[in-house]
Amino acid sequence: MSLYESWMEKAFSKEGRSVDAVWDEYLPKEQRIYEYIIGEKVKSLEGTVVELAKRFNMTAEEIVAFVDGINEVLPEKYEMENLTEESQISMQIDFEKLYKKMVEYKAEHLYNLTQWNRIFDADTRKKMMLEQKNARTVIKAEKIGRNDPCPCGSGKKYKKCCGANL
């Protein structure tokens, strides 16, 4: 069983629900890593799974869970099932992508960290938050009525022009 599979088995029940006790222990550890990365403006984090686990006082499974959480913002993504204790991890951090991903995942405890103040000012964070939230908003185009002027600019009614073949 891979480290990732082992983590998933611990963190989620057979029904797919989160195991609160596991997450209650993991989330503060994850937050400390982000506080370090953001606070120290760390753009690159490297080491084997075991080295990173030791460095951040976590288990190898928890480091794999951390990599899984940040994987989508990394330039080179990891195949989670293939990670072993000896796997070399090299994470290149893009702070804008990271912030937006935290907003997308609704991880308020992470995107509201005070350490972000050293990376982006309040206006920039607000702008990025709105961009990210609006990226998920579906805006329906205004429906063209049969008797409305055709949007192609021909001057004809829609039903006699572009809408004729629908």
Side-chain angles (χ1 to χ4, degrees), residues 96-130:
E96 185 174 340
K97 283 183 180 179
L98 181 61
Y99 185 81
K100 286 180 175 181
K101 192 55 72 173
M102 289 174 174
V103 170
E104 180 183 338
Y105 288 157
K106 298 180 176 124
E108 287 185 47
H109 67 290
L110 298 176
Y111 70 74
N112 284 328
L113 291 172
T114 58
Q115 287 81 356
W116 282 114
N117 296 334
R118 296 185 64 213
I119 306 286
F120 303 115
D121 62 40
D123 289 338
T124 303
R125 288 193 314 274
K126 185 175 182 178
K127 181 181 165 218
M128 288 190 304
M129 185 179 292
L130 287 173

Side-chain angles (χ1 to χ4, degrees), residues 153-165:
S154 67
K156 297 179 182 179
K157 288 185 177 184
Y158 180 68
K159 68 182 178 184
K160 296 283 187 178
C161 190
C162 295
N165 296 329

